[in-house]
Amino acid sequence: MTTRAEQRERTRRTLIAESRRLFAAHGYAAVGLAEIVRASGVTKGALYHHFEGKADLFRAVLAQVQEEVGARVAAAADAADDRWEQLKAGCAAFVTAGADPEVQRIMLIDGPAVLGWNEWRAIDEATSARHLAEALAALVADGTIAAQPVAPLARLLSGAMNEAVLWLAQSAGPDDLADTLATLSRLLDSLRTR
């Protein structure tokens, strides 16, 4: 027998999973609540028990995608031997993860459009941007990168990577991801002082 709490959690997970699938395939604006509840096999009342509405449900989907991308970035960075290689591996992992059409649609296209720039930016700041800034600060502190303000550097690199991922969404070349990763590597290497 499952408990009510387990049933509620299963319903919540199902709503997020089905919404994610639908948002990724069709985009936030093209998906209605009726379609979500039908795909999830629940009532609208069940949806409203867990979420205030479609935007709140999207927020949960975005948080899940952000967490998954963050885990991929962290795993790639953790596998590297030193701080510099960790930065490069993490940045490459972010761009590679972002090349996934589902991630692009939810995190970079619909995220800012649905939640607004300020809320989307706050979510990004709390996850990937914070980790990037921390990595850069450590590299500036140990002299690997020339002394400079970290905040603008982190935002410039974050913006460049986000823009590259959005470009990849529109590109059709079979070598575009590899070329983007090679260019990112050269860009990062240009920051290194030793």
Side-chain angles (χ1 to χ4, degrees), residues 2-191:
T2 59
T3 67
R4 289 188 114 161
E6 290 169 333
Q7 289 174 331
R8 282 193 299 271
E9 183 55 30
R10 186 171 47 241
T11 298
R12 187 178 195 291
R13 281 194 315 264
T14 299
L15 283 163
I16 291 171
E18 289 301 317
S19 297
R20 179 176 177 165
R21 182 182 63 78
L22 291 167
F23 293 151
H26 307 293
Y28 176 86
V31 177
L33 286 178
E35 189 176 1
I36 292 169
V37 297
R38 186 172 45 253
S40 300
V42 301
T43 65
K44 270 193 181 177
L47 184 145
Y48 283 113
H49 175 76
H50 294 281
F51 302 99
E52 292 177 11
K54 189 167 97 166
D56 191 37
L57 179 54
F58 179 81
R59 195 174 285 107
V61 169
L62 175 61
Q64 184 181 71
V65 171
Q66 289 265 19
E67 286 173 18
E68 289 172 8
V69 170
R72 288 176 69 179
V73 169
D78 290 345
D81 293 333
D82 63 35
R83 285 183 183 161
W84 179 253
E85 291 305 319
Q86 288 172 345
L87 172 72
K88 289 185 72 173
C91 289
F94 175 83
V95 170
T96 301
D100 179 327
E102 181 178 302
V103 172
Q104 291 167 348
R105 165 63 82 174
I106 292 170
M107 194 167 83
L108 298 170
I109 296 171
D110 284 347
V114 173
L115 302 180
W117 180 252
N118 289 335
E119 184 176 352
W120 179 85
R121 191 75 199 118
I123 292 169
D124 184 56
E125 194 67 34
T127 56
S128 58
R130 180 176 52 86
H131 295 297
L132 177 60
E134 289 169 357
L136 291 169
L139 291 166
V140 167
D142 75 10
T144 303
I145 295 176
Q148 61 189 290
V150 171
L153 178 60
R155 279 154 185 81
L156 285 167
L157 288 176
S158 177
M161 289 185 286
N162 285 341
E163 187 61 32
V165 168
L166 289 171
W167 175 75
L168 285 168
Q170 305 298 318
S171 71
D175 298 327
D176 288 344
L177 177 58
D179 291 344
T180 299
L181 292 172
T183 301
L184 175 61
S185 179
R186 287 190 299 275
L187 175 67
L188 292 170
D189 285 340
S190 73
L191 297 172

